[in-house]
Amino acid sequence: LELLDTMAGIGGNFTKQQMTGDVSFTPNCLLGNWQEDRAEVTHRLKTYVRSKDEGSLALSLASSRIVPQLRPVALRSAEPAGLPCFGDVVLVKSLGNGGVLALSLAEKPLGVLEGEHRKLHCASASTGATARTAFQLHSYDGKTGPVHFDDKVVLVSAGDLFGDEVIAFVHSELPPVGSQASDQRVTLRILPADGSSIPYSAAFSVVPARFDARLGLRGQPIGSDAITLVHARSGKRIAGLREAMLTDFGAEFMVSAQTMQAKGAVHQLTGERDGKRNITGYGVKGDGEENQWELVRAGPGQ
């Protein structure tokens, strides 16, 4: 396609003859225009061949970026028939949009952020366990064994996309002081694996998705129940939204950290008119389906 675009002159400079809307010879056309046209096509063809040999064509670059991310990764579970444990390699599936948490190497968040970051999305569940969707459960407090409710977990990319010199983990950036944004960015942060500690902004507390079960299940193993991931530093919940954006892999759902909060009467009436979820109760921070997740683990024999 790039070669055809090049030969057709798409996206490049046009000669005087082409700008008049005529590509055929007329008495008003100077002979120099024909030579200029021929030289321009030759130059673009040489540029295309050189870029193809160097592997710098847009299609080649996209392919070299996409293929490693789709490499299959085996899920691992210390207790396939038992409880999720620290060290397990899992998929993190959203119950709000049905997708699984996934990174995209080409997508970098806007704005000034400390260190290297990549955007996170919810890819189609049919993607399966690949280098972009597999995450390993780490304990922020250094615990081992089964994961319990209220434990602080760190989701580390298990795809080996960045080499052994760095560690990549799910991270949520606090908004600037004074910001009125209700959503908090969730990204994949990349840091050198030089023994430095993982920042507290990468820790998420695991709580039951059912609000009425949170007090009774504190300290209990999480089992196969739906969970909510609460950012330990800000208290906001990771949300799998239904708004989509285009990535290298097509349209994928967005991910952020957000918490619905009760607002005034006017906002409540406006929300009811627009069909939004109602938040009731004084000071209640409501969790919706977009804040509910489940861990997809390796089955017996895997």
Side-chain angles (χ1 to χ4, degrees):
L1 291 178
E2 293 190 29
L3 177 59
L4 293 177
D5 290 349
T6 300
M7 299 300 292
I10 297 177
N13 298 322
F14 293 96
T15 65
K16 294 181 179 179
Q17 174 193 3
Q18 292 169 333
M19 287 189 293
T20 62
D22 192 359
V23 295
S24 60
F25 176 79
T26 64
N28 296 328
C29 174
L30 299 177
L31 184 61
N33 281 346
W34 289 94
Q35 180 62 27
E36 180 185 0
D37 219 8
R38 191 181 303 111
E40 181 70 18
V41 171
T42 302
H43 172 71
R44 292 178 183 175
L45 179 58
K46 291 181 179 179
T47 302
Y48 168 80
V49 173
R50 183 175 63 253
S51 300
K52 182 180 179 181
D53 293 339
E54 295 174 351
S56 59
L57 292 177
L59 182 61
S60 301
L61 293 175
S63 178
S64 63
R65 189 172 58 238
I66 291 174
V67 171
Q69 297 180 75
L70 295 180
R71 177 174 49 82
V73 172
L75 300 182
R76 298 196 307 269
S77 181
E79 300 182 16
L83 303 170
C85 298
F86 290 113
D88 288 357
V89 176
V90 300
L91 302 180
V92 185
K93 182 178 180 180
S94 170
L95 299 183
N97 55 40
V100 292
L101 193 65
L103 65 96
S104 180
L105 292 180
E107 309 297 328
K108 295 186 178 181
L110 299 176
V112 179
L113 296 177
E114 182 181 353
E116 276 289 306
H117 293 258
R118 297 293 186 274
K119 283 188 177 181
L120 289 172
H121 308 280
C122 277
S124 171
S126 62
T127 304
T130 63
R132 66 186 299 250
T133 60
F135 290 88
Q136 189 172 31
L137 301 177
H138 285 226
S139 171
Y140 181 80
D141 299 315
K143 295 181 179 180
T144 58
V147 182
H148 296 76
F149 287 116
D150 284 353
D151 281 347
K152 293 182 177 64
V153 302
V154 179
L155 299 174
V156 177
S157 174
D160 194 24
L161 291 170
F162 306 98
D164 298 332
E165 294 77 17
V166 299
I167 182 172
F169 50 84
V170 177
H171 168 272
S172 188
E173 191 81 12
L174 293 177
V177 177
S179 172
Q180 300 298 314
S182 59
D183 289 4
Q184 190 171 292
R185 277 193 292 203
V186 178
T187 61
L188 189 86
R189 186 173 180 181
I190 307 165
L191 287 181
D194 54 2
S196 57
S197 60
I198 294 179
Y200 193 56
S201 51
F204 294 87
S205 297
V206 183
V207 299
R210 289 175 47 218
F211 185 81
D212 57 353
R214 291 179 181 175
L215 184 60
L217 291 178
R218 292 190 66 177
Q220 299 297 316
I222 64 175
S224 59
D225 299 331
I227 61 174
T228 296
L229 297 170
V230 183
H231 191 228
R233 190 172 179 184
S234 69
K236 292 195 174 185
R237 282 74 161 150
I238 294 185
L241 309 179
R242 290 189 175 274
E243 289 82 9
M245 68 173 295
L246 288 177
T247 70
D248 279 346
F249 305 91
E252 295 184 332
F253 292 115
M254 300 171 63
V255 176
S256 71
Q258 63 175 206
T259 301
M260 303 296 292
Q261 294 183 345
K263 297 183 178 180
V266 174
H267 292 88
Q268 185 79 11
L269 291 173
T270 303
E272 292 177 359
R273 181 198 64 190
D274 296 338
K276 295 181 179 178
R277 176 165 49 89
N278 293 331
I279 306 300
T280 59
Y282 180 76
V284 172
K285 293 185 176 181
D287 296 342
E289 192 178 37
E290 66 272 14
N291 300 116
Q292 299 179 9
W293 303 80
E294 68 176 359
L295 302 180
V296 180
R297 304 167 55 224
Q302 288 185 278

